[in-house]
Amino acid sequence: MSRYGPRIAALARRADRERAAVETADATPDDAMEYLRDGAGRAIWLYVEGRTGGRLVPYSEAELAALRGAMNDWLECYAACYGVDLDAEFTVREAAELLLETRNVRDTAQLLTRVPSRKPA
């Protein structure tokens, strides 16, 4: 287990609870940002943190799976806030690359999930 193991486990537990509790009928786009800031964004950034800064963190397969699962649970909650039922299966690496490119968790989520849909220019 890496030094990030306890943080990953806590994120995964919280994501499970959030995903089970999200009510599509009650969720709003304002709630979506909370799922991104307090959930998916933290999971993605934890991955970035372990892959930058000079020392590569040797995440175990279980840690990567838990991090991916947590991030995807929160992206599903995010989509539910827009009335979209999503079966998210994104990798943390692809999300991290988008986050570093866009520097914005909302843009990252929209590019991954296509929620909300972009209007033609």
Side-chain angles (χ1 to χ4, degrees):
M1 176 186 293
S2 75
R3 68 178 187 260
Y4 290 96
R7 288 171 60 191
I8 292 170
L11 283 171
R13 285 190 304 272
R14 204 171 104 233
D16 283 341
R17 287 192 306 271
E18 294 285 342
R19 184 67 186 112
V22 70
E23 292 292 331
T24 304
D26 298 330
T28 69
D30 289 335
D31 298 326
M33 278 310 298
E34 285 186 45
Y35 289 123
L36 295 181
R37 269 193 313 270
D38 298 335
R42 289 179 188 258
I44 297 166
W45 192 251
L46 190 59
Y47 177 85
V48 170
E49 203 177 294
R51 293 296 192 236
T52 59
R55 289 186 52 178
L56 183 67
V57 172
Y59 291 119
S60 70
E61 288 299 317
E63 288 172 325
L64 286 173
L67 203 51
R68 181 180 59 245
M71 178 197 71
N72 282 315
D73 282 349
W74 275 307
L75 289 173
E76 289 174 6
C77 292
Y78 161 83
C81 292
Y82 290 94
V84 175
D85 185 28
L86 179 72
D87 186 19
E89 294 186 17
F90 307 105
T91 67
V92 183
R93 181 180 176 155
E94 71 184 308
E97 288 171 352
L98 280 172
L99 182 61
L100 291 173
E101 184 178 319
T102 65
R103 299 185 182 274
N104 184 304
V105 72
R106 177 184 282 164
D107 290 343
T108 298
Q110 195 284 323
L111 289 167
L112 287 170
T113 65
R114 305 288 187 233
V115 174
S117 62
R118 291 188 176 209
K119 295 179 174 114

